[in-house]
Amino acid sequence: MNRRTTVLRRLGRALTACALAAVASLVGVTVTSSAAQADGCYTWGRTLSSGMTGEDVRQLQIRLSGYPGYGAVLALDGSFGPATRSALIRFQQAYGLAADGYAGPATQAKLYELQDDDCTPVNFTYAEWNRCNSTWSGGAVSASSAKFNALVSMWKLQAMRRAMGSAPINISSGFRSYSCNSAVGGASNSRHLYGDGVDLVGTHSFCAFSQQARNHGFTNILGPGYPGHNDHVHLGNTPSRSWSAPSCGI
């Protein structure tokens, strides 16, 4: 897809979002399902709210995974419970939408605007996340699992990027196979082997990255003051919390 096509598609989505929001604001009109939307990644067919279940809820949760709140992780279980509603409200607030806890037309239109046709958020790509092995194989999990883990982490970074003023976030290392990990001297249990590990450099201070990441679903944060991490910040998703950036008070 060339740059002109991408720009036009995003402009179209933005206009759609405005139109849907206007319709929803009309006096006496209640929008209960989303308008038809051609999207190369995923299209929702109904307004989502508390108590609902299904794959459409899980797809929403993937995109809300960066809005769980401080120290929390949003479950991708396809069940619209209180944690999903709270994450949705944080997302709506971040983008100036009506913070009503309903994933209706305006919210869905914003999500369409934020995702590319391969389901990655618009500011991150599989190519920059995986400079090691284009097949995503050779790591600690299957290729499909590694790629999915990377996708979820990209959406977490998208939320973090928004919270930090929408300035670019630069990735120096993402997925690694065992051979790639060994070549760069990575830890034997590195989250890079699972697809969700990512190293950040540039733009913001390393302490700013380390501190902000606590709000966006990352359970593994290693930054300044942790051995070998004074020149980058590592984020990942370990089963239990492991935050260490002593120079930043973490």
Side-chain angles (χ1 to χ4, degrees), residues 99-119:
D100 56 9
Y102 290 85
T107 295
Q108 291 170 11
K110 174 55 68 175
L111 291 171
Y112 295 138
E113 181 184 340
L114 288 174
Q115 69 184 16
D116 281 327
D117 287 346
D118 63 357
C119 299

Side-chain angles (χ1 to χ4, degrees), residues 81 104 136 232:
W136 294 84
H232 70 283

Side-chain angles (χ1 to χ4, degrees), residues 59-104:
Q59 290 294 328
L60 174 67
Q61 290 170 330
I62 291 170
R63 291 150 183 79
L64 297 179
S65 58
Y67 292 93
Y70 182 90
V73 176
L74 183 64
L76 308 180
D77 58 5
S79 180
F80 198 128
T84 298
R85 185 176 186 277
S86 294
L88 175 58
I89 288 173
R90 292 186 190 97
F91 171 83
Q92 291 170 327
Q93 291 171 333
Y95 285 96
L97 303 170
D100 56 9
Y102 290 85

Side-chain angles (χ1 to χ4, degrees), residues 170-192:
N170 300 321
I171 295 172
S172 63
S173 181
F175 169 73
R176 300 173 191 161
S177 65
Y178 278 108
S179 60
C180 288
N181 190 59
S182 177
V184 298
S188 61
N189 62 343
S190 172
R191 294 309 301 182
H192 292 280

Side-chain angles (χ1 to χ4, degrees), residues 91-165:
F91 171 83
Q92 291 170 327
Q93 291 171 333
Y95 285 96
L97 303 170
D100 56 9
Y102 290 85
T107 295
Q108 291 170 11
K110 174 55 68 175
L111 291 171
Y112 295 138
E113 181 184 340
L114 288 174
Q115 69 184 16
D116 281 327
D117 287 346
D118 63 357
C119 299
T120 59
V122 294
N123 296 116
F124 300 96
T125 68
Y126 284 125
E128 67 180 328
W129 202 279
N130 182 4
R131 300 184 179 98
C132 165
N133 182 338
S134 61
T135 65
W136 294 84
S137 60
V141 294
S142 68
S144 60
S145 293
K147 193 171 183 179
F148 177 75
N149 291 343
L151 176 66
V152 175
S153 286
M154 284 186 214
W155 281 102
K156 293 181 180 184
L157 278 189
Q158 186 70 28
M160 185 168 150
R161 185 182 189 275
R162 179 70 177 181
M164 299 182 80

